[in-house]
Structure formats: structure tokens, C-alpha cells
Amino acid sequence: MRFFQILVAAAAMLPLTGCHSALIDVTIANRTPQPLTLIEVDYPSASFGTQALAPGQDFHYRFKVLGSGPTTVLWTDSVHHELKNSGPTLHEGDEGKLAITFNPNASPQWSLQLVNRGGSS
């Protein structure tokens, strides 16, 4: 019984002792009346995407920035035009939230909110 109590206490403290990993939480939002397809977001050293995003739908993703460089979103609109839009530059260690919002008759709107980590790992 005592061993079990120690094990539970150790498991409860584990999240407090681990290193913090800097991540970017991304939300891609389709606020247009038309579906978007083949959405790809390129960021330093990698990319991610989704096959389709219906009107009013959001897509969430999380990644770690390795290296530094620009972000770009590529997508296909409802009339099958391939489009591209550039976003902010990210740097290794950046942490925060990135929103890419598609609005009617406009280029995607980018919003980047970084967290000041103060050098913690």
C-alpha cells in the first residue's frame, strides 16, 4: 500500500519537473462562404496542412520551430485557383499562438502572439 502511495505522489509531481517545450499553437479559420481545399502551411524546416476546410470551420495544429524563416500558406479556392500568402517570420524557440483567418474577398489575415519565455527550458 505504501509503495502505491509513493508511486501516485511521484506521478503527480512529474509534470512539475519536466522541461517546457516551446510550441506554436495554430488555428486556421475559414470565415468565407466557400470551402477551401488543400491548405498547406510552411514554416521553418517543415509544413502541415489539411485536405479541406468548410465555411465556418477551424483547423488546429501545434508545432515546434526549428531554425528561423518565413511562414507561408498555400490553398485552393472554390474555383480551383491555387493561391499563396506570406506570413510572419518565426525563430527557433518561439512560443505562442498563430491565427490564419480566411475572410470573404480578402487575403488571409495573420495574427502572431508570442510568449516571452524568459530563458526557461
Side-chain angles (χ1 to χ4, degrees):
M1 183 67 166
R2 179 84 171 134
F3 176 75
F4 179 73
Q5 290 172 333
I6 293 171
L7 186 61
V8 169
M13 292 176 25
L14 189 60
L16 302 174
T17 61
C19 285
H20 175 81
S21 184
L23 299 172
I24 301 289
D25 288 313
V26 182
T27 299
I28 303 171
N30 182 1
R31 300 299 174 253
T32 73
Q34 302 296 324
L36 303 171
T37 58
L38 304 176
I39 301 167
E40 177 183 314
V41 176
D42 296 333
Y43 61 95
S45 76
S47 64
F48 69 91
T50 182
Q51 289 290 322
L53 200 58
Q57 186 178 23
D58 292 346
F59 177 79
H60 300 280
Y61 191 80
R62 185 183 288 185
F63 65 86
K64 183 173 184 165
V65 182
L66 300 175
S68 296
T71 55
T72 305
V73 64
L74 302 96
W75 75 99
T76 303
D77 65 13
S78 62
V79 292
H80 306 289
H81 291 126
E82 293 180 8
L83 302 164
K84 181 178 180 178
N85 186 265
S86 296
T89 297
L90 296 176
H91 304 278
E92 188 162 341
D94 279 352
E95 177 179 15
K97 295 182 180 190
L98 175 64
I100 306 167
T101 306
F102 289 87
N103 293 301
N105 303 316
S107 294
Q109 179 182 1
W110 295 78
S111 173
L112 176 62
Q113 298 175 329
L114 295 177
V115 174
N116 182 359
R117 296 184 331 127
S120 64
S121 65

